[in-house]
Amino acid sequence: MRKTNKAGVVFIDESGEVKEVLTQLSKSALRESGKVIRKILRTNIPKRTGNFKNHIASWVFVSRTTGQPQMQIGFYGWQQVKKRKKMPSHLSPWWLEFGTKPHEVTVKSKKLLADNEKVYGKKVMIKGRPAQHLLRNAVYDNIDAIRAAQEKYLKE
């Protein structure tokens, strides 16, 4: 039985085995493109301590609502990095990607800001940092490399 979908793709066989093979090939293609993006991200991230590269992640799954393979790219939190027995960075990936506004930190007790009998005060001004959009730029600027990584699996 031949069926055509909205994209104009003609399906000759709709058996469960064929759908499973197509799903596995799609997931493999997405994993391969994830490797490309992670490699690009590791070269572009700030290298102050070298630990931030341990937060880069991508994961592939099949959506429960649509049944389509998907890939998400992001950063692990410090708990997940520690669980993988790697050294976490103290910089939040969210702060690096989206930036922070200047703000003031106030503490209830002066002892919290004390170091060897020196008291620094109850208020500290944080100057903030601009957004760097590492994830977004890695994907948008390297879309050709991502497609090239997927071509092998798309041919199959």
Side-chain angles (χ1 to χ4, degrees):
M1 176 181 219
R2 296 175 67 115
K3 278 192 172 182
T4 307
N5 69 357
K6 292 178 184 178
V9 176
V10 178
F11 292 99
I12 301 170
D13 189 1
E14 289 190 9
S15 66
E17 295 86 17
V18 171
K19 289 180 181 180
E20 183 64 28
V21 168
L22 285 174
T23 301
Q24 293 305 321
L25 285 172
S26 298
K27 286 172 70 174
S28 298
L30 290 171
R31 280 189 196 100
E32 198 65 34
S33 60
K35 289 178 187 177
V36 170
I37 295 170
R38 287 193 315 263
K39 185 177 181 181
I40 292 166
L41 278 171
R42 283 190 178 100
T43 60
N44 292 339
I45 59 172
K47 293 182 175 59
R48 291 186 187 120
T49 63
N51 294 335
F52 197 66
K53 68 180 183 293
N54 297 334
H55 290 264
I56 298 170
S58 65
W59 46 95
V60 176
F61 61 96
V62 176
S63 172
R64 291 183 181 173
T65 56
T66 64
Q68 297 294 317
Q70 295 180 3
M71 179 178 64
Q72 291 181 350
I73 304 163
F75 295 108
Y76 286 137
W78 65 269
Q79 298 95 340
Q80 187 70 23
V81 174
K82 277 191 131 179
K83 189 187 288 185
R84 294 174 176 266
K85 297 186 178 14
K86 294 184 179 181
M87 187 66 146
S89 172
H90 296 290
L91 177 65
S92 170
W94 181 269
W95 298 339
L96 191 63
E97 183 71 19
F98 298 107
T100 58
K101 294 180 180 177
H103 60 282
E104 188 177 84
V105 176
T106 307
V107 295
K108 294 178 183 176
S109 170
K110 286 185 181 181
K111 290 181 181 178
L112 295 175
L113 293 176
D115 181 32
N116 294 335
E117 303 298 323
K118 290 183 182 178
V119 177
Y120 296 104
K122 290 185 104 176
K123 295 180 183 179
V124 176
M125 188 65 189
I126 307 295
K127 64 181 178 178
R129 64 182 308 137
Q132 293 187 9
H133 302 297
L134 295 174
L135 285 175
R136 184 181 67 184
N137 293 342
V139 174
Y140 288 169
D141 296 343
N142 300 293
I143 197 74
D144 294 331
I146 294 167
R147 286 187 179 143
Q150 293 179 351
E151 280 182 17
K152 172 186 166 189
Y153 295 98
L154 295 177
K155 286 179 185 176
E156 290 183 31

